[in-house]
Amino acid sequence: MMNRLKALACAAAMVCVAGSAAAQELTMAVWGGGGANTWREAFIKQFSPAEKFTIKMVEVPNPAGGLRSPAAASQYNLALVTYFEAIALSNAGLIETFDDKQLPGIGDVDPKFLTKDKKGRHVGLPVYFTYYGIAYNTDLAKAEDFASWQGLADAKWKGKLSVTRPVYLAPYDAVIMAKAMGGSEKDIDPGFKLLERIVPNVLATYTSLAHMNTLLTRGEVAAVPFYASRVWALRRQGAANVDIVMPKEGVLMLPYVVVVPKGAKHQDKALVWMNYIAGAEPQLRAALLDGWLPMNSKVKLPEELQKTLGRPYEDIVKSLYSPDWSVVVDHNEARVDRAEKLLSGVQK
């Protein structure tokens, strides 16, 4: 009997230890692919908090979509989302908010790039950004072909272009093209009018970054509005026939934000992690590994990296267009519907 009681006590202790160990692992939802590996190398590997716990990257197709699930708080402790998705999730009451004292690391981010709700509380931590320009296959096109966003509407590209799905075409392409045509995120019609001229040139919409990588590097399409960080990664991996243009009208700044699902456990530890990734050193490592441009204003990019990026960091910043994402969110549903109708006849 005594042996049996000891065995039961041992088993109970093991369950407690296992439960405690599980509680020390925080999960963060990110997009799959190379990006998750960069998080592991640039941020997780050197993370050593005083109160020991670990961060596990969980790769999902759409982190923001995962946070709309009723089970989000039990599945994830944190998630990486786009700037406009952070605002939309906050408006829906699906993510936590924080004050300056909880996120002291955010002090090195330019105030105009902070994600705040209507009460002035932070809805997440902007950790890095990329920009949205025109990627092209250098065997099929030249940088001068896309000196303007209007270059995509040239009839010589008929059947040679690609664009993204409506869910991103509306908040990204339509907005930067509106800016290029004299409009803005508030006056979107000029952007859709340019898209109407571009769509006849579109061979297919791409369904994933991997899909677009294939279309572009194989020369199945000549050009596409795309993410600078992905082009940089392709070149680093040996794809010498791809490059990206910053049209004269500017490029869209795309910040990425780490958020906490509403009601998620271990928020104290999540804040330790968020303040760590706000630092200059991990953000510099991410820039060196994958071309992600730091939100921490104290990061100094090495000259070698700036050469790889194709232009000085200051020149990139001057070309950035940062819209009022709250306006984008407020009108997003109607604009996605409009984009779906516009692309209804395009191959997927």
Side-chain angles (χ1 to χ4, degrees), residues 26-30 39 55-58 76 78-80 258 273:
L26 273 61
T27 59
M28 179 169 151
V30 296
W39 271 94
I55 303 291
K56 177 184 177 182
M57 294 288 119
V58 179
Y76 312 117
L78 305 113
L80 178 70
V258 174
W273 168 248

Side-chain angles (χ1 to χ4, degrees), residues 192-273:
F192 273 101
K193 286 178 180 176
L194 177 54
L195 281 168
E196 287 171 5
R197 293 166 49 203
I198 292 170
V199 165
N201 292 340
V202 175
L203 172 68
T205 59
Y206 65 89
T207 55
S208 69
L209 297 181
H211 181 204
M212 190 61 248
N213 292 346
T214 300
L215 291 174
L216 193 60
T217 54
R218 290 184 180 176
E220 294 180 45
V221 298
V224 59
F226 206 41
Y227 309 90
S229 57
R230 291 298 88 210
V231 173
W232 193 89
L234 284 171
R235 290 175 64 86
R236 187 191 62 175
Q237 293 161 13
N241 65 339
V242 295
D243 208 340
I244 191 160
V245 179
M246 302 181 80
K248 63 183 181 182
E249 302 94 347
V251 291
L252 187 65
M253 181 186 189
L254 296 177
Y256 290 83
V257 185
V258 174
V259 300
V260 175
K262 194 74 172 179
K265 296 178 180 179
H266 312 303
Q267 290 184 31
D268 55 337
K269 293 181 176 62
L271 284 167
V272 171
W273 168 248

Side-chain angles (χ1 to χ4, degrees), residues 272-288:
V272 171
W273 168 248
M274 291 168 77
N275 283 301
Y276 162 73
I277 64 177
E281 288 187 14
Q283 289 191 21
L284 175 58
R285 287 194 294 268
L288 293 169

Side-chain angles (χ1 to χ4, degrees), residues 12 48 67 99 101 107 110 119 196 288-289 293 347:
S48 181
L67 297 196
D99 60 31
K101 290 181 180 178
D110 189 320
K119 295 180 180 178
E196 287 171 5
L288 293 169
L289 279 169
L293 299 168
Q347 176 186 342

Side-chain angles (χ1 to χ4, degrees), residues 22-332:
Q24 303 309 305
E25 180 179 79
L26 273 61
T27 59
M28 179 169 151
V30 296
W31 286 274
N37 292 332
T38 300
W39 271 94
R40 295 182 186 106
E41 288 296 315
F43 295 98
I44 292 179
K45 197 179 244 186
Q46 296 83 357
F47 181 57
S48 181
E51 185 182 347
K52 298 299 180 184
F53 65 94
T54 59
I55 303 291
K56 177 184 177 182
M57 294 288 119
V58 179
E59 300 180 35
V60 297
N62 180 5
L67 297 196
R68 294 185 180 278
S69 163
S74 61
Q75 291 179 314
Y76 312 117
N77 302 99
L78 305 113
L80 178 70
V81 301
T82 64
Y83 202 113
F84 88 91
E85 287 168 336
I87 294 172
L89 289 165
S90 176
N91 289 349
L94 295 175
I95 55 177
E96 296 288 343
T97 62
F98 306 100
D99 60 31
D100 290 340
K101 290 181 180 178
Q102 292 171 297
L103 283 177
I106 215 166
D108 292 325
V109 177
D110 189 320
K112 67 174 174 284
F113 299 137
L114 296 177
T115 43
K116 292 186 176 184
D117 63 13
K118 293 175 182 177
K119 295 180 180 178
R121 290 176 63 84
H122 302 288
V123 302
L125 173 78
V127 62
Y128 56 74
F129 71 92
T130 186
Y131 65 83
Y132 202 62
I134 301 176
Y136 67 99
N137 181 297
T138 58
D139 298 327
L140 303 174
K142 303 185 295 293
E144 307 90 81
D145 291 323
F146 308 110
S148 165
W149 284 96
Q150 294 189 62
L152 292 167
D154 193 312
K156 70 180 179 179
W157 303 120
K158 187 172 180 62
K160 296 180 180 179
L161 303 182
S162 182
V163 292
T164 189
R165 296 169 293 158
V167 68
Y168 291 114
L169 190 85
Y172 292 174
D173 301 63
V175 168
I176 188 59
M177 291 184 190
K179 160 71 164 55
M181 299 299 289
S184 67
E185 67 275 18
K186 296 177 182 177
D187 177 20
I188 205 71
D189 282 348
F192 273 101
K193 286 178 180 176
L194 177 54
L195 281 168
E196 287 171 5
R197 293 166 49 203
I198 292 170
V199 165
N201 292 340
V202 175
L203 172 68
T205 59
Y206 65 89
T207 55
S208 69
L209 297 181
H211 181 204
M212 190 61 248
N213 292 346
T214 300
L215 291 174
L216 193 60
T217 54
R218 290 184 180 176
E220 294 180 45
V221 298
V224 59
F226 206 41
Y227 309 90
S229 57
R230 291 298 88 210
V231 173
W232 193 89
L234 284 171
R235 290 175 64 86
R236 187 191 62 175
Q237 293 161 13
N241 65 339
V242 295
D243 208 340
I244 191 160
V245 179
M246 302 181 80
K248 63 183 181 182
E249 302 94 347
V251 291
L252 187 65
M253 181 186 189
L254 296 177
Y256 290 83
V257 185
V258 174
V259 300
V260 175
K262 194 74 172 179
K265 296 178 180 179
H266 312 303
Q267 290 184 31
D268 55 337
K269 293 181 176 62
L271 284 167
V272 171
W273 168 248
M274 291 168 77
N275 283 301
Y276 162 73
I277 64 177
E281 288 187 14
Q283 289 191 21
L284 175 58
R285 287 194 294 268
L288 293 169
L289 279 169
D290 223 0
W292 295 343
L293 299 168
M295 293 299 290
N296 186 310
S297 60
K298 292 184 177 178
V299 176
K300 302 299 180 187
L301 296 181
E303 188 174 338
E304 181 80 20
L305 175 58
Q306 297 193 60
K307 286 180 181 177
T308 304
L309 294 172
R311 52 192 57 80
Y313 179 78
E314 292 74 17
D315 288 354
I316 293 175
V317 171
K318 287 176 186 175
S319 297
L320 297 175
Y321 178 53
S322 181
D324 183 340
W325 288 103
S326 294
V327 172
V328 177
V329 169
D330 288 344
H331 297 278
N332 195 53

